Amino acid sequence: MSIYRKMLIFTSVIIIVPMAIILFLSNTILDNQINQSAEEYLKEAFVIANNLLSSRMEEMGRLSAGITESADFDRELQNRDKESIYGFLNNTCKVYSYIDFYALYDADKNLIINKPSIRNANAKRLGQLLAESEKSRDAVTSVESFDLEDLFGQGTADYLKFRVYVNDQHEYLKKCLTAVSVYAIRNREGNGVSGYLVMGAILNNSRYLPTAYSDSVPNSYLALSTEGIRVASNIASPESENYIGSPMPVSVTTLEGTNNVYFGKKNFGGEIHIYLDKMITNIDGEDVGTIGVGIPEQKFKLISNTQKRINFFVPLLFLIMILFLLRYVAEKITRPIIKATNLANQISQGNTDVAIGISTLADSNDESIILLRSLKKMADTLKKNKADILEYLKDLEDGREEQQHLSQQLIALNETLEKKVEIRTQDLREAIEGLKKSGQYKSQFLANMSHELRTPLSSIISYSEILKAELFGPLNGKQKKYTDNILESSEQLQQLINSILDTAKIDAGKMTLDIGNYTLSEVIRESLSIVEILAYKKNIDIQNNLLEEDIIVRIDFRKTKQALCNILSNAIKFTPDGGQIKITSSQIGSSIRIVIEDNGIGIKKEDQERIFNEFEQADNSYERQYEGTGLGLPLAKKFVEMQGGTIYLVSEINKGTKVAITLPININHGDFK
Ligand SMILES: Nc1ncnc2c1ncn2[C@@H]1O[C@H](COP(=O)(O)OP(=O)(O)OP(=O)(O)O)[C@@H](O)[C@H]1O
Ligand SMILES: [Mg+2]
């Protein structure tokens, strides 16, 4: 997708989405505002309608006061001069034609005159109003719902004039909505009431109020009702007659629950009206009817639709302008990029002789121009590099022959080297073979030699023992001593040979295990029995701390005993006369541990590891003082390790040595070799 398209889509999304949201919100707000302003408008219209009604009543009050205030009227009232009074009142009513009836009462509330001859029917309500007027210096005004028949008498001209036909009930309404003013006439001394003047304007079928309202609030409707039936209205339409005598859109009970005001919409003959109705109450606060104003909704819709159109078209225009602008900008941006793409294509095809207009290369901070300049630079560099490479290739070609010669020499050298390495490797292999063989020869020799030595040595020992036992006759002191020496030396020699033989056997891998069940105490005791004599000779005390409960161990008895003997004999050998040796045995998990501790000469730290190697002994002075070959400990180590055990040594010079061996309690045949 081209940059231009991308920018177009991106900008459209960026603009259209918020624009749609704003449009939706502004239309919603507009609708709300229209509703609100319609309500405000109706409230104001209602005040006008209400004022018209009030001012009508107040005017009647002012007229009553004006008429009765004159001295003439007072005198005529005193004299009950009905003719003159009629004259006064009729003149006034002629000027103020909306006054439909009046009545004059004396101080005792007896009717003096009335016109037209209103009947006594609503006497009770009138009586209440007369009484009310006494309390006020001004006229008392009230809207009342009088019984039409009781007021004028059935069939009279006024009755016929003011009656309202209720369309859907097919009969006439019995009530008439009436604006009344009652004025208490004060006597001239000012100390009492000399009579009462009542004036009334019937609102049923009245043209005055609706017309006055239409003049003040154009295109607005007014309706007055009593008993839920419209009795006066300015609604003019082909069916205008139907509005007077039609039921109110809202029942009076609905108004009672909503602060006596109802704001709503209603379809009148296909036209939606917004209207506001309010309860009319008389001076005692009793509901007598309603007064309502309304307007066709279309009036406000018109404003709203115009605004909505503006809301839609202005952003649309704006969007179109932006799109054009964008097209221009995108073209401006993409042109150098397209140029750069072409340039890059040419370069990629190997054409480094690219040319750009001089004006394009002029100094500019525009990124696309910078891109073009960079591409040109790159093309130049490539061109130069290409030339360098060609030159380099030529150099390479020149040096190739020499290189070939060198590489041949290298190959020859390499071959010589390989041959030499092969010969040396062969030599080494043979040397290793030789060494291996010589090791085997050594072991074999040692084994053979020891075996050869053991046979004559056994004979020497046997003969020495026979001599010592004096089986061939008694020996003298010297003979006895020599015989003892022979025996002792032979036994030592035998011991040495055995050790060498064992070592050789182990080295040759010919030593095998001979496992059997033994008690731990048995092994230690057997070992002790062999070395006891040596300890006895040096007056060394051996303390054997046996376990309370003896353990049965599966071990190679001879090898374990030999290992223990070697360690014990060392302890005795390297402990001065009168010293002490302690044997402790314990069970640690599935192993046993035997520790042999002496308080002898001890071993230097640096010798402690070395002495486990064959023929190694601690320093020379020991060697001189103590006999031995240095095979005891290495053999002990080998015997223990053959059985899967370990041996270790702790020693301090002049304090003593502690040697510990551990062995698994249950060694299986074949586990170790
Ligand atoms: N308990 C010990 N106290 C002090 N030195 C010891 C003790 N045990 C071993 N050594 C030192 O370790 C050396 C090696 O002991 P090892 O038993 O291998 O040889 P050896 O006793 O000298 O000769 P062999 O046991 O073959 O007769 C000894 O010569 C001695 O110097
Ligand atoms: Mg030893």
Side-chain angles (χ1 to χ4, degrees):
M1 199 186 280
S2 69
I3 294 178
Y4 169 64
R5 279 220 169 150
K6 278 183 194 162
M7 281 173 77
L8 205 70
I9 293 169
F10 177 71
T11 322
S12 304
V13 170
I14 287 246
I15 294 171
I16 289 170
V17 172
M19 212 180 252
I21 294 170
I22 291 169
L23 201 69
F24 171 75
L25 288 177
S26 67
N27 283 348
T28 316
I29 293 167
L30 193 70
D31 281 343
N32 264 341
Q33 274 180 348
I34 298 252
N35 269 352
Q36 255 178 23
S37 50
E39 199 172 337
E40 289 301 318
Y41 183 88
L42 285 181
K43 275 181 184 164
E44 278 171 29
F46 179 81
V47 171
I48 292 168
N50 210 37
N51 283 347
L52 283 171
L53 184 60
S54 306
S55 62
R56 173 58 27 98
M57 290 190 288
E58 279 159 18
E59 194 173 57
M60 286 194 294
R62 276 198 307 278
L63 282 172
S64 301
I67 294 166
T68 54
E69 251 169 24
S70 73
D72 290 349
F73 188 88
D74 190 45
R75 193 176 52 250
E76 280 150 14
L77 185 62
Q78 298 303 324
N79 299 336
R80 305 233 169 182
D81 184 350
K82 286 189 188 177
E83 279 299 313
S84 303
I85 295 170
Y86 265 129
F88 261 105
L89 293 171
N90 282 345
N91 282 344
T92 311
C93 289
K94 258 182 213 155
V95 178
Y96 299 94
S97 59
Y98 61 83
I99 301 170
D100 294 312
F101 68 86
Y102 60 80
L104 184 70
Y105 297 84
D106 66 11
D108 297 327
K109 296 180 183 140
N110 293 317
L111 186 65
I112 303 170
I113 56 166
N114 68 41
K115 194 183 176 186
S117 58
I118 56 166
R119 296 182 6 163
N120 206 21
N122 301 291
K124 194 181 165 211
R125 186 66 198 135
L126 273 175
Q128 284 168 350
L129 290 171
L130 294 181
E132 194 63 39
S133 69
E134 277 172 43
K135 298 175 199 162
S136 163
R137 287 230 154 246
D138 296 319
V140 167
T141 59
S142 177
V143 179
E144 299 291 337
S145 182
F146 287 135
D147 197 305
L148 191 60
E149 195 186 321
D150 282 353
L151 194 64
F152 297 116
Q154 200 176 9
T156 59
D158 289 298
Y159 176 85
L160 296 174
K161 185 181 166 192
F162 295 121
R163 71 178 180 172
V164 168
Y165 184 70
V166 183
N167 301 334
D168 59 351
Q169 288 170 14
H170 306 297
E171 59 178 14
Y172 288 98
L173 184 67
K174 298 223 165 29
K175 296 283 183 176
C176 65
L177 199 63
T178 315
V180 198
S181 137
V182 182
Y183 181 70
I185 308 159
R186 309 283 154 178
N187 61 23
R188 298 203 66 76
E189 288 78 38
N191 57 2
V193 173
S194 57
Y196 302 89
L197 180 57
V198 176
M199 284 186 179
I202 308 291
L203 298 169
N204 284 21
N205 293 325
S206 160
R207 298 297 319 149
Y208 169 74
L209 254 180
T211 315
Y213 175 78
S214 289
D215 292 345
S216 307
V217 192
N219 296 323
S220 176
Y221 306 122
L222 173 78
L224 298 169
S225 80
T226 186
E227 302 280 301
I229 302 296
R230 288 193 181 95
V231 292
S233 172
N234 70 340
I235 301 176
S237 73
E239 311 106 71
S240 71
E241 302 93 310
N242 293 340
Y243 286 104
I244 295 177
S246 62
M248 284 298 289
V250 211
S251 75
V252 175
T253 43
T254 322
L255 299 186
E256 282 166 356
T258 52
N259 289 336
N260 293 348
V261 177
Y262 180 86
F263 180 76
K265 286 183 185 178
K266 185 94 182 162
N267 192 331
F268 290 105
E271 191 178 53
I272 306 287
H273 286 194
I274 312 172
Y275 61 91
L276 190 145
D277 276 300
K278 194 166 182 185
M279 193 70 87
I280 306 172
T281 50
N282 66 14
I283 195 167
D284 291 332
E286 294 160 352
D287 301 332
V288 293
T290 63
I291 179 167
V293 289
I295 38 164
E297 194 186 34
Q298 197 54 33
K299 189 177 166 177
F300 282 93
K301 270 268 152 65
L302 219 65
I303 306 169
S304 127
N305 284 345
T306 317
Q307 190 57 47
K308 277 181 186 168
R309 249 172 248 138
I310 293 172
N311 280 0
F312 179 75
F313 283 110
V314 168
L316 190 72
L317 204 73
F318 184 61
L319 179 68
I320 292 168
M321 273 164 61
I322 285 189
L323 290 182
F324 272 109
L325 194 73
L326 195 76
R327 195 188 159 83
Y328 172 75
V329 173
E331 262 183 19
K332 237 186 137 42
I333 295 171
T334 51
R335 204 178 298 139
I337 294 174
I338 291 166
K339 203 166 183 179
T341 315
N342 289 338
L343 214 65
N345 270 341
Q346 282 180 48
I347 295 166
S348 71
Q349 281 160 13
N351 181 10
T352 47
D353 270 333
V354 288
I356 317 167
I358 293 168
S359 62
T360 320
L361 293 173
D363 267 356
S364 168
N365 284 333
D366 186 330
E367 285 84 352
S368 49
I369 302 295
I370 293 171
L371 176 70
L372 275 176
R373 279 213 303 267
S374 306
L375 273 171
K376 172 69 180 148
K377 214 170 172 181
M378 188 178 98
D380 292 346
T381 316
L382 276 174
K383 198 173 161 184
K384 192 177 167 296
N385 285 353
K386 203 171 156 185
D388 288 350
I389 288 168
L390 284 174
E391 202 172 322
Y392 176 68
L393 280 175
K394 198 174 164 292
D395 287 350
L396 267 184
E397 189 62 30
D398 293 346
R400 218 159 66 116
E401 268 176 36
E402 195 183 342
Q403 202 182 347
Q404 253 178 359
H405 178 69
L406 276 173
S407 68
Q408 271 168 2
Q409 272 187 341
L410 255 178
I411 291 166
L413 271 173
N414 205 21
E415 277 173 4
T416 322
L417 197 69
E418 268 177 16
K419 265 180 200 148
K420 277 185 179 167
V421 168
E422 211 172 294
I423 292 164
R424 291 281 175 273
T425 313
Q426 188 56 34
D427 288 351
L428 262 175
R429 209 175 283 139
E430 280 167 10
I432 289 166
E433 280 303 311
L435 273 175
K436 269 190 193 166
K437 269 186 187 151
S438 76
Q440 279 170 2
Y441 288 150
K442 184 196 89 185
S443 297
Q444 191 62 45
F445 167 75
L446 281 175
N448 289 345
M449 189 195 75
S450 305
H451 186 72
E452 292 302 321
L453 283 176
R454 266 206 317 187
T455 321
L457 203 59
S458 301
S459 305
I460 294 170
I461 290 169
S462 304
Y463 286 126
S464 306
E465 276 169 348
I466 291 168
L467 278 176
K468 197 181 171 188
E470 296 180 346
L471 291 177
F472 298 109
L475 300 174
N476 61 29
K478 223 172 194 176
Q479 282 171 330
K480 256 186 193 171
K481 197 182 159 205
Y482 289 149
T483 310
D484 281 346
N485 280 343
I486 291 167
L487 194 58
E488 198 177 321
S489 303
S490 306
E491 276 169 353
Q492 273 176 10
L493 202 56
Q494 193 183 38
Q495 185 69 35
L496 171 67
I497 289 165
N498 281 341
S499 295
I500 290 170
L501 203 59
D502 281 341
T503 307
K505 237 179 159 182
I506 291 167
D507 284 349
K510 285 185 180 152
M511 185 69 89
T512 52
L513 286 175
D514 179 16
I515 306 292
N517 285 345
Y518 307 94
T519 62
L520 180 63
S521 57
E522 190 180 355
V523 186
I524 297 172
R525 262 200 311 272
E526 279 275 329
S527 313
L528 268 174
S529 69
I530 295 170
V531 294
E532 251 165 8
I533 182 72
L534 300 173
Y536 175 76
K537 278 183 187 164
K538 288 182 80 175
N539 193 23
I540 288 172
D541 174 41
I542 299 182
Q543 195 184 324
N544 182 13
N545 298 333
L546 280 171
L547 282 174
E548 265 181 33
E549 207 175 311
D550 209 356
I551 311 171
I552 294 180
V553 286
R554 271 178 64 73
I555 49 168
D556 184 318
F557 187 80
R558 191 187 81 77
K559 293 187 181 72
T560 311
K561 190 181 81 178
Q562 189 61 54
L564 282 173
C565 276
N566 288 3
I567 297 162
L568 278 167
S569 66
N570 279 352
I572 296 165
K573 195 188 329 182
F574 299 106
T575 300
D577 288 8
Q580 251 198 347
I581 292 170
K582 201 158 76 181
I583 306 170
T584 331
S585 46
S586 54
Q587 183 180 348
I588 297 162
S590 56
S591 299
I592 47 148
R593 183 162 70 181
I594 306 161
V595 182
I596 294 144
E597 190 180 353
D598 64 57
N599 60 352
I601 59 168
I603 309 160
K604 280 190 196 161
K605 200 125 206 108
E606 60 263 33
D607 296 329
Q608 284 177 9
E609 212 177 292
R610 189 169 59 83
I611 53 171
F612 282 99
N613 296 333
E614 277 108 4
F615 307 110
E616 291 284 359
Q617 292 174 310
D619 73 20
N620 288 338
S621 61
Y622 293 168
E623 208 177 48
R624 256 179 266 131
Q625 198 179 343
Y626 303 98
E627 290 171 348
T629 50
L631 279 175
L633 271 184
L635 260 180
K637 185 172 189 274
K638 276 175 181 154
F639 285 149
V640 168
E641 284 174 353
M642 273 180 86
Q643 299 180 76
T646 55
I647 181 164
Y648 71 87
L649 177 149
V650 184
S651 181
E652 209 178 320
I653 200 94
N654 293 330
K655 287 242 170 102
T657 305
K658 206 192 257 188
V659 183
I661 62 166
T662 56
L663 283 172
I665 291 176
N666 193 356
I667 304 165
N668 282 320
H669 253 303
D671 279 359
F672 308 95
K673 284 178 197 163

